[in-house]
Amino acid sequence: QCTSPAVEMFFVYIFLRITYHFNFLSSFHFLPKVLMEIPVSYIDEDKLYTDLGYRFKYLCDFIGITEDDVSLVHGSAAVLGPKVDVLVDAVYDRLFAFSCTKRIFFKERTKYDSPSDNSTLENYDLKAKQIGMRKSSLKNYLVRLVTKPYDEKMLETLDRMGKIHTPKGGKLSINVELIHMQALLAFVQDAVIATLAAYKESSEEGAGDFDLVGTVRAFGKVLAVQNQFISRWYEDPLVSRVTAETTKPSSTFLPVMALTGAVTAALTYFAVNR
């Protein structure tokens, strides 16, 4: 324990005295916005794990997803559409470049490929029948993201991306670890951004007026939601809630933050009014 209750109270006293002395709330235009009481939206935390629509709305509200973001994602269809096959090929090239991800497809080969297949992990290649089917599924998913409304059916699509890769989805033979799912999603996001950026820098029709920053931000938000819909199939709500409720911050946190805030505010005051 680094500080005693008396020392903690001293820090709080110093903060309050400095605040009173310099009359911060009337001196700075920005401080009322920062220090004012923020309205709290009360969330049914159990419902976050049982209701897709409720989970989606919470994520949209928290992240700040708007209709404009959805419009920007849809507006990129003309850019990404012609490149979707290239994107899908790049994804599977990457998946086959690492043993831990290639192994997942190798284990499933007997369900789709020839029963007499004597392939090894090393020589199993992208020409396999299974891979062609999976590439087609990924292509359809990407097309849906940029063309379909973000309604109940879209939520089912987003949720399915997690469901079909875990035993919880009903297929005990498939158990793709979360680390691989998140790595793949990050790779897809980077590939999409690179494609959009290349278009913006090109001389193609409409490139000059294309909102690259807005579209990249919109995709970042949408794929963050996708990540959460995937993660829900790997999380244990009970463990998450208990951990969050029983983990307490250090008792030294309050006085240290109070002192830091007071010093920062004081320095800002002197800088503005020197």
Side-chain angles (χ1 to χ4, degrees):
Q1 192 75 6
C2 297
T3 61
S4 67
V7 174
E8 294 180 5
M9 289 303 298
F10 172 75
F11 284 134
V12 173
Y13 171 77
I14 292 296
F15 171 74
L16 294 175
R17 288 296 297 174
I18 293 176
T19 302
Y20 173 78
H21 180 74
F22 292 112
N23 195 15
F24 290 126
L25 294 181
S26 61
S27 298
F28 299 138
H29 295 295
F30 64 87
L31 278 176
K33 298 178 182 178
V34 176
L35 298 178
M36 68 184 295
E37 183 177 343
I38 300 173
V40 176
S41 296
Y42 287 92
I43 302 299
D44 183 338
E45 297 180 45
D46 292 328
K47 201 172 179 180
L48 290 174
Y49 301 96
T50 58
D51 188 321
L52 290 182
Y54 193 80
R55 187 183 184 95
F56 180 69
K57 184 180 184 305
Y58 164 72
L59 291 170
C60 287
D61 290 344
F62 192 103
I63 297 170
I65 297 177
T66 66
E67 289 297 329
D68 289 340
D69 290 313
V70 175
S71 295
L72 285 169
V73 170
H74 285 164
S76 69
V79 180
L80 296 175
K83 306 290 185 181
V84 68
D85 288 326
V86 176
L87 287 171
V88 170
D89 286 343
V91 166
Y92 275 86
D93 286 347
R94 184 53 59 99
L95 288 170
F96 268 52
F98 298 89
S99 62
C100 54
T101 47
K102 185 178 182 181
R103 170 184 54 78
I104 297 165
F105 301 99
F106 183 69
K107 286 176 61 179
E108 290 288 300
R109 73 191 187 285
T110 55
K111 299 177 183 178
Y112 300 92
D113 304 327
S114 171
S116 60
D117 179 23
N118 294 316
S119 298
T120 62
L121 180 65
E122 287 71 23
N123 65 25
Y124 189 64
D125 61 37
L126 292 165
K127 297 178 182 178
K129 179 180 179 182
Q130 173 195 183
I131 305 307
M133 295 171 58
R134 296 192 184 280
K135 279 188 175 184
S136 179
S137 295
L138 178 57
K139 179 179 178 179
N140 290 336
Y141 162 76
L142 292 174
V143 170
R144 283 188 62 82
L145 280 185
V146 298
T147 60
K148 300 298 182 181
Y150 280 64
D151 55 12
E152 188 174 333
K153 288 186 177 180
M154 177 62 80
L155 300 192
E156 292 174 359
T157 297
L158 298 177
D159 192 53
R160 184 174 178 272
M161 292 302 291
K163 179 179 180 179
I164 64 176
H165 292 102
T166 70
K168 290 182 180 180
K171 202 168 185 180
L172 298 179
S173 64
I174 297 182
N175 187 16
V176 182
E177 295 172 21
L178 183 59
I179 184 175
H180 308 314
M181 295 296 294
Q182 293 182 332
L184 174 60
L185 195 60
F187 180 83
V188 170
Q189 179 171 331
D190 183 64
V192 167
I193 291 173
T195 302
L196 296 174
Y199 170 71
K200 178 65 175 179
E201 295 174 0
S202 73
S203 58
E204 295 183 45
E205 183 179 354
D209 297 326
F210 180 66
D211 184 359
L212 176 62
V213 174
T215 305
V216 167
R217 289 186 63 197
F219 262 104
K221 296 176 184 180
V222 167
L223 293 180
V225 170
Q226 174 63 92
N227 186 27
Q228 276 299 310
F229 270 63
I230 289 173
S231 298
R232 91 180 195 92
W233 286 94
Y234 294 84
E235 64 194 8
D236 185 332
L238 179 60
V239 171
S240 299
R241 293 287 299 281
V242 170
T243 301
E245 292 172 4
T246 57
T247 302
K248 303 296 184 183
S250 167
S251 61
T252 62
F253 182 76
L254 174 61
V256 169
M257 289 305 295
L259 177 61
T260 302
V263 172
T264 302
L267 290 175
T268 304
Y269 178 85
F270 286 125
V272 172
N273 293 279
R274 52 179 302 184

